[in-house]
Amino acid sequence: MESCIFCAIAEGSIPSHSIYENETTMAFLDINPLSTGHTLIIPKYHSSKLNQLPISFATSLMNTIYTLTGPIEEAVGATATTIAFNNGSAAGQEVPHVHCHIIPRFEQDGGKSVHSIVENPSPPSADLSNIVLSIKNLI
Ligand code: 5GP
Ligand code: ZN
């Protein structure tokens, strides 16, 4: 897609600090990193949400995440990483091309876990069985 910044990065028409590339995925440093080594991994296929990607690209994306997480941690001396997708605008996604954030984490970085990302959690539901059923019916 012409107007997509991450498609343009994948095509090489916009420069990036690329750290890895294969036939179906690419990884490059985030231009506005939350920590040293903050990396974005994208499929070479335009889709805004993970659940709209063809399964082959989703699988390949996971392979690249797996391949890069260890080297990223080691390169920047991190003992942990937060690995996350903002999957849709309500989740804070700003660039509408699927991307996974790998964010190196440090004991003193002041950050929290993914449990901190929702400020107004839904009240606890007594009806977990119905939620399970609703999801199962859609798989
Ligand atoms: P989102 O909120 O969509 O999950 O995050 C988008 C990320 O893309 C942000 O962390 C932002 O810094 C990064 N980003 C946006 N534009 C560019 C760009 O042109 N180059 C690179 N390397 N990163 C970008
Ligand atoms: Zn795109």
Side-chain angles (χ1 to χ4, degrees):
M1 185 185 273
E2 279 290 317
S3 59
C4 172
I5 195 156
F6 286 178
C7 282
I9 286 175
E11 287 160 9
S13 53
I14 288 183
S16 69
H17 288 92
S18 170
I19 62 172
Y20 180 85
E21 187 168 2
N22 62 20
E23 207 177 309
T24 48
T25 67
M26 180 178 179
F28 51 90
L29 296 180
D30 194 296
I31 205 166
N32 189 18
L34 290 173
S35 65
T36 305
H38 181 167
T39 298
L40 302 175
I41 301 172
I42 63 168
K44 291 182 178 177
Y45 180 99
H46 184 82
S47 167
S48 63
K49 293 187 70 190
L50 181 69
N51 37 312
Q52 293 161 350
L53 261 187
I55 185 70
S56 60
F57 282 91
T59 304
S60 185
L61 199 60
M62 192 63 210
N63 282 333
T64 300
I65 294 164
Y66 177 82
T67 300
L68 297 185
T69 299
I72 290 170
E73 284 191 1
E74 202 175 326
V76 301
T79 55
T81 31
T82 294
I83 299 171
F85 292 82
N86 293 323
N87 195 39
S89 60
Q93 183 178 7
E94 288 183 357
V95 177
H97 180 125
V98 178
H99 53 280
C100 175
H101 294 260
I102 298 184
I103 305 165
R105 297 294 305 272
F106 301 88
E107 294 295 345
Q108 321 81 343
D109 67 17
K112 297 193 176 105
S113 82
V114 292
H115 290 96
S116 67
I117 62 180
V118 173
E119 259 184 48
N120 304 307
S122 312
S125 169
D127 206 5
L128 297 187
S129 304
N130 259 336
I131 296 169
V132 167
L133 269 183
S134 313
I135 297 170
K136 280 187 162 182
N137 284 337
L138 293 169
I139 297 173

